[in-house]
Amino acid sequence: MRRTPVIATALLALGLTLAGCSSTGTAEKDSKPMSEESMAPSSSPDDMMMAKVSGEFEGLNGKTVQGMVAVEDGKVVLSGFSSDEGPDLHVYLTNGTDEAAVGEGKLVDAVAFDKASQTFMVDGVDVSKYSYVVIHCDKAKAVFGAAKLS
């Protein structure tokens, strides 16, 4: 039972290490210089993290992915979800639907291809920075499907 906290800690450490070593990774994206727009009092980071966005999945690359996704209050919620089976399926927040976008995106968690309702925590993530939720097979390096967020 102690396996989950150990795995989560190891993944967090690995992610922080990779982000610190990457010249084009998320660490660079998050350290943008402040502009007048980012200093505007009307939109705080908390407001952006709480924004509700949603979309409908569609299959890509000859794969079938169906269902709806909603991102709100630090959660990614899948409903009516189904996907072709894959050996290593994961949910990502991205800005596109290709491999490069997945590589630059935010890994959310592993996803079950045959479980209609699934909820994943994404506390502290500014969802306004992402325009898609992507279902990706990490082992095969293949995008199975995506939902455009709006």
Side-chain angles (χ1 to χ4, degrees):
M1 291 297 148
R2 296 185 63 172
R3 205 167 144 192
T4 301
V6 171
I7 291 171
T9 302
L11 288 173
L12 178 61
L14 176 63
L16 291 173
T17 301
L18 292 175
C21 295
S22 174
S23 62
T24 60
T26 56
E28 184 175 297
K29 287 190 283 185
D30 291 338
S31 61
K32 294 177 184 171
M34 292 192 71
S35 66
E36 288 179 28
E37 181 179 299
S38 66
M39 294 187 311
S42 63
S43 66
S44 73
D46 289 336
D47 291 340
M48 290 180 221
M49 286 186 275
M50 298 300 179
K52 180 177 180 177
V53 291
S54 62
E56 184 174 355
F57 282 107
E58 64 179 60
L60 297 170
N61 303 315
K63 301 295 183 182
T64 300
V65 177
Q66 299 175 334
M68 301 295 294
V69 61
V71 183
E72 179 181 28
D73 296 330
K75 298 178 194 166
V76 174
V77 179
L78 306 183
S79 58
F81 179 79
S82 67
S83 171
D84 284 347
E85 187 173 0
D88 192 25
L89 295 180
H90 288 84
V91 177
Y92 284 83
L93 293 170
T94 70
N95 286 312
T97 61
D98 59 8
E99 285 299 310
V102 170
E104 293 177 1
K106 171 73 175 161
L107 171 64
V108 175
D109 205 346
V111 63
F113 74 95
D114 59 350
K115 187 175 176 187
S117 296
Q118 301 178 61
T119 301
F120 308 97
M121 300 304 294
V122 289
D123 289 330
V125 176
D126 183 355
V127 299
S128 71
K129 291 183 177 182
Y130 303 101
S131 54
Y132 288 90
V133 173
V134 171
I135 305 302
H136 184 262
C137 180
D138 288 358
K139 189 171 187 175
K141 297 200 183 310
V143 173
F144 275 38
K148 176 124 176 91
L149 298 174
S150 59

